[in-house]
Amino acid sequence: DAGVTQTPRHEVAEKGQTIILKCEPVSGHNDLFWYRQTKIQGLELLSYFRSKSLMEDGGAFKDRFKAEMLNSSFSTLKIQPTEPKDSAVYLCASSLEAGGGQNTLYFGAGTRLSVL
Amino acid sequence: GQGVEQPDNLMSVEGTFARVNCTYSTSGFNGLSWYQQREGHAPVFLSYVVLDGLKDSGHFSTFLSRSNGYSYLLLTELQIKDSASYLCAVRMPNYNVLYFGSGTKLTVEP
């Protein structure tokens, strides 16, 4: 199965640490998204790449969050330094933009981050 | 975020129906999608609408009114396994970005 793969599944960090989350999109997909999910805020967009170019960087998340996509099959999300309020599930999704029409996002299983 | 609103919770009874509402007031619009998310799992695509009216897909149907900024997901002949969160997401023009509501948790009781 060549779905979206995220690692690690769980991460526990101390306040002030640097953590890096990883994502492998579906092969051939040209759009990649990072979302953060909490019960209160729901799904919040962190970053959006099209063909490895950063198209949107989620405004409010700029200062401590940095997403990169060095090649079409791998992306990272770095949080530096972590704060307790960053505790959430981080979801990576990919899609194939074929021009107009529906775009189905395929999500990974997510990384559950707990910051102590 | 981006003005996509959903009620937090909804309860219904097995064998009946449930209507999950979504209202939006985003800066642009290029279609609306619905996703199902079971507890502890990733969201899964259900439906996409871009034109006004009702789109019947059997167990799941979706309605859109662009002038009112309103959509609903209708689940018929409910089963216990339909208990999940249902997320609506508005697609923005120009790019592929989806802005999600916070989701409605549907509980189907026997």
Side-chain angles (χ1 to χ4, degrees):
Chain A
D1 179 82
V4 178
T5 303
Q6 288 188 250
T7 54
R9 290 297 310 275
H10 302 275
E11 178 80 61
V12 179
E14 299 273 346
K15 178 183 173 182
Q17 269 187 274
T18 295
I19 62 105
I20 297 177
L21 310 181
K22 305 177 182 71
C23 174
E24 296 174 33
V26 174
S27 178
H29 281 187
N30 52 358
D31 281 352
L32 185 140
F33 306 82
W34 283 97
Y35 285 92
R36 180 172 82 171
Q37 186 173 33
T38 59
K39 286 198 187 302
I40 295 175
Q41 298 291 339
L43 275 156
E44 300 172 283
L45 180 70
L46 300 175
S47 295
Y48 163 49
F49 293 88
R50 168 163 289 177
S51 300
K52 301 185 296 180
S53 296
L54 182 64
M55 309 302 290
E56 191 158 328
D57 62 4
F61 296 95
K62 279 182 185 179
D63 57 345
R64 297 182 298 107
F65 292 73
K66 184 178 175 62
E68 291 186 315
M69 195 165 187
L70 299 180
N71 63 62
S72 61
S73 58
F74 185 71
S75 176
T76 59
L77 175 67
K78 180 193 288 187
I79 308 176
Q80 178 184 36
T82 53
E83 298 181 5
K85 65 181 179 180
D86 299 332
S87 297
V89 175
Y90 289 81
L91 291 167
C92 176
S94 70
S95 71
L96 177 64
E97 172 57 16
Q102 114 186 13
N103 62 300
T104 299
L105 263 59
Y106 294 85
F107 284 87
T111 296
R112 182 174 293 278
L113 172 65
S114 298
V115 182
L116 309 176
Chain B
Q2 290 288 325
V4 182
E5 303 291 336
Q6 298 181 248
D8 289 340
N9 295 286
L10 180 64
M11 295 182 71
S12 193
V13 178
E14 186 179 19
T16 67
F17 69 95
R19 191 178 76 188
V20 185
N21 294 320
C22 174
T23 58
Y24 62 90
S25 57
T26 54
S27 56
F29 180 84
N30 195 22
L32 186 147
S33 297
W34 285 93
Y35 286 76
Q36 179 191 62
Q37 185 175 26
R38 299 188 187 283
E39 189 71 33
H41 290 82
V44 175
F45 173 81
L46 289 178
S47 179
Y48 169 80
V49 285
V50 66
L51 299 177
D52 287 350
L54 184 67
K55 179 179 177 182
D56 188 354
S57 303
H59 185 49
F60 299 103
S61 298
T62 46
F63 172 83
L64 176 68
S65 170
R66 288 173 295 173
S67 60
N68 292 309
Y70 171 66
S71 175
Y72 68 72
L73 174 71
L74 180 69
L75 298 88
T76 56
E77 297 182 26
L78 284 170
Q79 302 174 48
I80 302 295
K81 67 179 183 179
D82 290 322
S83 296
S85 289
Y86 292 87
L87 308 168
C88 76
V90 173
R91 181 183 179 186
M92 303 305 284
N94 303 322
Y95 297 129
N96 219 5
V97 175
L98 291 184
Y99 287 102
F100 284 82
S102 54
T104 297
K105 184 177 180 180
L106 171 65
T107 302
V108 180
E109 296 182 323

